[in-house]
Every structure is written in structure tokens, then in C-alpha cells.
Amino acid sequence: MFFSNCPLHCVYCQNEPLSSGRVGQAVTAGRLTEIFLELAGQGAHNVNLVTPTQYVPQILRATAAARGQGLAVPVVYNTGGYESLETLALLAGSVDVYLTDLKYASPSLAARYSRAPDYPEVALAALGAMLAQAGDYALDEEGMVQRGVIVRHLMLPGRLEDSKAVLEAAFAVAGNRACYSLMSQYTPMPTPQGAPRFEELRATVTEDEYSELVAFALDLGIATSFMQEPASADDTFVPLFDLTGV
């Protein structure tokens, strides 16, 4: 489930109508509890909370209530990675899996695209805390994630060297205790904040760039990862926010 009003506001956001708060519907913590249980009842393998940081108090109440009513599937905290250690401490015992972005190694890129020059430092510290909390990446007998950390990196066009630095930094913190998701699906979006100012973001990631990053990851020693086909870079990967299930 997606939450409105993402705190990062990256200029290339693929979910901009939602992240900006232009779409969405207010629900109570009680209704959120019901949604968790409804998802599990429909056969969902986990409850996946996308950009949830700004609603942590309500999520904690809803998670506790849902588990008290029999919620047994893992709770996934799906985040842009810009998390404080204080927030993560609150989540201890409530989150089974952290699916966290590591967007940049360069403070200047983090400032240019997300207005957060301290992003690399903050996100790496958060990654260490997530790993300490959730432990090693683990699947059940059906191959479904049950606990641990997935480090997600969306390549940006023309930024191969920074992507390599991202993987190097993440691997230094998490090694093969985590799973890595290397994404080639970057799609230029006509967002009000991004389109006029950032010409370099109107391109897509080339097949050569992505292949070189995959080879770099394997040479680094990454053993568990998700990878994408080049055809993933189109708008079919951009969700429709029609409030289904809310």
C-alpha cells in the first residue's frame, strides 16, 4: 500500500501524484488495520508499506492491532532510505523486512535531485540499523521473503560511476547478509518539478550501463540479487493510484 506525501520529493519521482500529496485518501489507524487484514485475506504474501515514514505512529498502532487479530504475514517497510535512527528504533519488533533505497553515493547528486546532501550518510547509517534489527535476508520454503533487508538501487541515466559507488558502500555495510535489487526501469516523467530543469533526466539507462553495473556487482561479490530486463524502462511500471482497496 502506498502512502502520500513522501518526505524526499526526488525530482524524477515516478509516483509524483502520490508523493506530492495530490492524490490519496485519509484513513484512520483503525481502517489501516482493516486494510492489513484484508490484504492478508486476499492471499498477499506480505503487507508492503510504501513511503511510510511520515505515518509511523499510526502504522505502529495498526500493526499491533492487526497482529492481535491474527495477521501472520511479514510487514515490509518500503522506504526511500532517508530514515533517522530514532524512527527505526520505534519500528523495532514491528517490521520484519526493510526494503530500502540507496539512491546516491554523491552528496552533490543527492542535493541536486533530492535536496538532501546528507542523504548518503543518513541512508548508510539507516542501513546498518535496519540490518541489526531485521537480521539476515531469509526466505520461506516457497521463496517468499520472511525477514531481513533488501537494498534497492534505481540507476539514473549517465550516473554509472555513482551507482558503482552506491553498491560498494552498501556492500561494505551489509555484505551478503542483505539482498540487492538493481533496477534499470528509470522512466523519464513529465513531473512539474523535474521536467523543465534537468535535461539529463530525459534519457533512459542504456543496456550497456546496466550490464556494466551488474558485472560490477558480481565482481564485488554480491551473491543474492534481483535484476531487470531493459524492457522494464517504460510507463507500465508506473502504478495507477485509483484508491483501490482504500
Side-chain angles (χ1 to χ4, degrees):
M1 68 198 71
F2 289 81
F3 291 85
S4 300
N5 299 300
C6 175
L8 265 180
H9 300 291
C10 304
V11 297
Y12 51 83
C13 183
Q14 294 180 277
N15 300 334
E16 191 274 337
L18 190 77
S19 64
S20 66
R22 291 191 289 112
V23 300
Q25 181 172 306
V27 299
T28 64
R31 175 60 188 141
L32 195 57
T33 300
E34 293 173 353
I35 293 171
F36 290 178
L37 295 168
E38 287 166 7
L39 286 171
Q42 292 163 12
H45 291 102
N46 55 64
V47 170
N48 190 328
L49 314 173
V50 186
T51 58
T53 308
Q54 59 277 20
Y55 302 107
V56 162
Q58 294 85 358
I59 286 169
L60 288 173
R61 292 201 299 273
T63 301
R67 284 185 166 152
Q69 296 177 51
L71 181 72
V73 297
V75 173
V76 179
Y77 192 84
N78 187 336
T79 168
Y82 196 56
E83 299 286 349
S84 72
L85 299 182
E86 293 80 6
T87 296
L88 294 174
L90 292 174
L91 292 165
S94 295
V95 169
D96 303 291
V97 180
Y98 285 99
L99 172 52
T100 182
D101 285 328
L102 196 54
K103 296 177 182 290
Y104 320 101
S106 162
S108 63
L109 285 183
R112 179 168 174 78
Y113 296 145
S114 298
R115 288 170 286 187
D118 61 344
Y119 177 93
E121 175 187 352
V122 170
L124 282 170
L127 174 58
M130 292 171 188
L131 192 68
Q133 212 183 92
D136 293 359
Y137 179 73
L139 308 177
D140 65 13
E141 62 278 1
E142 296 180 351
M144 298 296 169
V145 64
Q146 298 300 296
R147 68 170 189 274
V149 178
I150 301 171
V151 180
R152 176 179 52 207
H153 177 65
L154 175 68
M155 283 195 81
L156 296 176
R159 300 299 183 181
L160 174 61
E161 293 308 312
D162 192 69
S163 289
K164 289 179 178 179
V166 164
L167 292 187
E168 212 163 24
F171 197 68
V173 172
N176 278 318
R177 295 184 63 195
C179 178
Y180 298 81
S181 176
L182 309 183
M183 301 174 70
S184 63
Q185 73 180 53
Y186 172 78
T187 304
M189 300 298 292
T191 60
Q193 52 189 344
R197 295 173 47 210
F198 300 95
E199 289 289 336
E200 71 273 23
L201 294 177
R202 296 186 181 185
T204 57
V205 173
T206 69
E207 191 170 347
D208 285 347
E209 284 176 316
Y210 186 67
S211 295
E212 189 169 339
L213 183 65
V214 169
F216 181 84
L218 296 175
D219 288 344
L220 198 59
I222 289 175
T224 306
S225 62
F226 298 106
M227 298 173 187
Q228 289 185 317
E229 297 295 329
S232 60
D234 64 50
D235 59 10
T236 61
F237 279 72
V238 179
L240 294 175
F241 301 112
D242 60 2
L243 303 182
T244 297
V246 178

